[in-house]
Amino acid sequence: MAIVTLGHLIECGCCYEEVAFEKMAQCDDGHLFCLGCCVSGTSASLGAGKVTLNCFSPGCKFPFARPEIKKFLDAKTFEYFEQRCQQEALLQAEVELERCPFCDFAVEMDASPEECRVFQCMNAACGKESCRLCHEEAHIPLRCDEVEKKGERDKRVFVEDAMTQALVRVCNNRRCKKPFFKEEGCN
């Protein structure tokens, strides 16, 4: 690869526009792409959950190095990319981790879920306690089967509200229109 001095324009390998060398990123094999094409090309890969961002040149299997990726991803997207890389590395290492059901925090625990049922999230932004068996909010001293799940609670409340509305009548007076409960008879 030829040495390029600052300020020289180079053709992007994707959109073929002339771009300053400082506004380009390269794969590990040296193929150069403008930062705009890098963002567009990697957004689909990141959206699909991929952690290896490969070169866009046909036939090139080389990835972009982390410092190059950091050049063209914004801080939030790069942080997401780093988290996905960590998750992938943990999956490949086959480490058994206990995860917080309310955030991304995970930790390796020595005790089994039966021995220690409550998981205390150490993420400062979360800090919730959850049940390691059913992954709901901690509910000790109740057993998991004694706790009403959110979907079950929503259904029960819906039915209760419908039954209440069946008993509520509205005054027929045009000025009043106040609701009242039907207690007896045919009011």
Side-chain angles (χ1 to χ4, degrees):
M1 183 173 160
I3 297 175
V4 179
T5 59
L6 293 178
H8 278 82
L9 297 178
I10 300 173
E11 186 178 84
C12 171
C14 189
C15 67
Y16 302 109
E17 286 190 26
E18 297 283 320
V19 180
F21 178 73
E22 301 83 40
K23 300 199 183 281
M24 300 189 94
Q26 64 181 354
C27 75
D28 286 348
D29 197 34
H31 297 118
L32 293 166
F33 304 95
C34 69
L35 299 183
C37 287
C38 290
V39 169
S40 300
T42 58
S43 63
S45 297
L46 289 175
K50 294 183 180 178
V51 294
T52 304
L53 303 177
N54 288 330
C55 179
F56 311 128
S57 288
C60 183
K61 302 278 190 236
F62 285 91
F64 288 97
R66 282 222 186 339
E68 294 295 310
I69 293 170
K70 196 169 187 173
K71 276 168 104 175
F72 59 81
L73 291 182
D74 61 73
K76 188 175 181 179
T77 308
F78 187 74
E79 183 180 332
Y80 168 78
F81 171 71
E82 288 285 303
Q83 287 175 348
R84 285 289 304 125
C85 289
Q86 291 171 358
Q87 290 172 353
E88 189 66 28
L90 288 171
L91 284 173
Q92 289 177 356
E94 296 180 4
V95 176
E96 286 294 319
L97 295 176
E98 189 70 36
R99 297 186 182 281
C100 176
F102 306 107
C103 70
D104 291 333
F105 181 78
V107 68
E108 188 174 13
M109 298 196 58
D110 296 329
S112 70
E114 291 77 20
E115 295 170 336
C116 178
R117 290 181 15 194
V118 177
F119 176 82
Q120 173 68 46
C121 182
M122 302 307 282
N123 180 353
C126 178
K128 293 186 179 181
E129 289 186 350
S130 60
C131 175
R132 291 178 64 196
L133 299 173
C134 67
H135 303 290
E136 297 287 332
E137 286 195 35
H139 48 75
I140 290 180
L142 299 175
R143 294 187 318 263
C144 295
D145 61 347
E146 295 175 328
V147 177
E148 189 174 49
K149 305 288 188 255
K150 184 179 183 343
E152 294 169 351
R153 184 180 67 240
D154 292 345
K155 289 177 189 173
R156 178 183 53 79
V157 169
F158 177 78
V159 170
E160 288 173 354
D161 287 344
M163 290 173 65
T164 301
Q165 289 301 319
L167 296 175
V168 173
R169 298 291 185 252
V170 178
C171 180
N172 290 330
N173 186 336
R174 289 184 302 142
R175 294 183 193 160
C176 182
K177 296 290 183 188
K178 288 187 179 179
F180 63 91
F181 280 101
K182 177 181 177 180
E183 294 175 355
E184 59 183 54
C186 53
N187 48 353

